[in-house]
Amino acid sequence: MPLDVIIASPSVDKEVPALNSPDIIAKVLSMYVYTADEESKFRILFGNQIKYIIVEAGTYDEDTLCFPPSLFEQLPKLPRSKWTIARIFNTPGGLSFEISYKGLDGVRSLWHPSKVDFLSLTPEESFKARVLGVKFDSKPAIAKFARFEFEIPQLERETAIYEAIAGRGIGPTFLAHLTEHDRVIGMLIERVEGRHANINDLEACQIVVKRLHSLGIVHGDLNRHNFIVSAAGVSLIDFENSTFGGSEIEMEKEYDSLSQQLAEETGRGCRSIITCDSDFQ
């Protein structure tokens, strides 16, 4: 058994102060739930501490997993200590858990001088499960973050992309690294206001793509909704699928597809906006 893991039984639960008790406000910040027959993941704010809870398959039914108040009622009593991850599971003797004090992985490509605490932000919109419209210094910005450890590598790559394009007239301004306690989990970037590109913007978009390709970077998703046209020019966004070391063939293919992408009218790549009214406020 790893040295950082402690197994707790229900009898031990009662001997320690519970983190999930009525005097501590709990809120689900992120959840990764499909069915009760699969492992579920939760990122939960208990007071001012963010904890990660993994629920093994078959522990709770889907209604409980998808309804945080019900989940909170049925969690075992978790200790008020500096653990990072709790794994909840059933045993022949009933519900039990194990906790880990393991440090969580974070983004390591730290090139920008500024860092901002994730919990200090004021969210206003949700574009994706891990992309929020927020206010930063009273101005609109975009927060992109890893909800769980398995998403860190993608944020690592995208952070490095932003370092490479900084100041080159390609994409939004990188404002700060986003932190959660003592690790970096994402980025805060400028929110570019404007309209999506169309075929009439082909030449301006080609210039931006050429700048990106000159750095050996393939964007990976040049749909027209990833070009924002404003009075300042064209800005390319969403580097989640971007990669370094693109071949000449890959870049040529991407460049040649641009006119077709800008003429697209099906709505592919368009993002819906959901007003935040429950999670992370």
Side-chain angles (χ1 to χ4, degrees):
M1 182 185 302
L3 293 178
D4 65 338
V5 172
I6 297 176
I7 301 293
S9 67
S11 60
V12 175
D13 275 359
K14 299 174 184 178
E15 299 175 5
V16 296
L19 179 65
N20 50 321
S21 57
D23 65 309
I24 294 182
I25 296 175
K27 181 183 293 185
V28 173
L29 300 181
S30 304
M31 54 195 294
Y32 192 83
V33 178
Y34 284 100
T35 71
D37 296 326
E38 299 178 71
E39 181 179 272
S40 299
K41 296 180 174 65
F42 297 87
R43 177 170 172 258
I44 302 177
L45 179 65
F46 290 102
N48 61 358
Q49 298 181 54
I50 295 178
K51 304 290 190 182
Y52 291 82
I53 293 180
I54 299 172
V55 178
E56 291 194 357
T59 303
Y60 300 116
D61 59 32
E62 289 180 34
D63 288 342
T64 299
L65 291 171
C66 294
F67 187 58
S70 179
L71 176 66
F72 291 149
E73 287 180 0
Q74 297 187 47
L75 286 175
K77 293 182 179 180
L78 302 169
R80 297 187 187 188
S81 57
K82 294 183 178 181
W83 56 270
T84 53
I85 303 171
R87 178 175 288 273
I88 315 296
F89 51 91
N90 278 320
T91 70
L95 192 65
S96 191
F97 68 91
E98 61 183 30
I99 56 175
S100 170
Y101 293 86
K102 178 182 78 72
L104 301 176
D105 290 338
V107 174
R108 299 182 182 182
S109 300
L110 308 184
W111 59 274
H112 197 278
S114 299
K115 294 181 181 179
V116 173
D117 184 355
F118 179 87
L119 293 178
S120 72
L121 298 173
T122 302
E124 297 189 327
E125 298 167 323
S126 178
F127 295 95
K128 295 181 181 179
R130 55 190 188 85
V131 181
L132 298 174
V134 301
K135 276 289 180 66
F136 175 66
D137 284 345
S138 301
K139 297 179 181 179
I142 299 293
K144 302 189 74 172
F145 58 97
R147 301 166 300 165
F148 304 102
E149 272 191 299
F150 70 86
E151 295 170 334
I152 286 291
Q154 189 174 40
L155 267 297
E156 184 81 56
R157 184 176 63 252
E158 191 168 3
T159 299
I161 295 287
Y162 269 98
E163 180 180 18
I165 69 172
R168 295 180 180 271
I170 296 173
T173 300
F174 190 100
L175 301 175
H177 297 290
L178 273 185
T179 63
E180 178 186 283
H181 301 322
D182 59 351
R183 69 187 181 114
V184 172
I185 62 166
M187 66 186 76
L188 191 66
I189 56 178
E190 170 193 21
R191 179 168 180 174
V192 180
E193 302 289 354
R195 61 173 175 82
H196 299 303
N198 57 50
I199 192 62
N200 297 319
D201 305 301
L202 177 60
E203 185 176 350
C205 292
Q206 286 175 328
I207 292 173
V208 173
V209 172
K210 283 182 178 179
R211 290 173 184 164
L212 183 70
H213 287 174
S214 71
L215 302 174
I217 300 172
V218 174
H219 184 271
D221 187 16
L222 286 186
N223 72 77
R224 74 182 193 88
H225 297 96
N226 282 336
F227 291 92
I228 306 298
V229 182
S230 67
V234 174
S235 185
L236 185 57
I237 64 172
D238 199 353
F239 297 92
E240 289 185 3
N241 299 304
S242 300
T243 55
F244 287 103
S247 68
E248 290 295 331
I249 294 176
E250 287 176 309
M251 289 188 283
E252 182 178 348
K253 181 178 180 181
E254 182 169 72
Y255 183 84
D256 289 345
S257 73
L258 192 52
S259 58
Q260 180 180 351
Q261 296 282 3
L262 294 181
E264 175 69 56
E265 295 292 344
T266 64
R268 187 184 69 83
C270 184
R271 291 165 179 76
S272 60
I273 298 176
I274 304 171
T275 302
C276 295
D277 59 4
S278 55
D279 296 346
F280 181 41
Q281 294 186 19

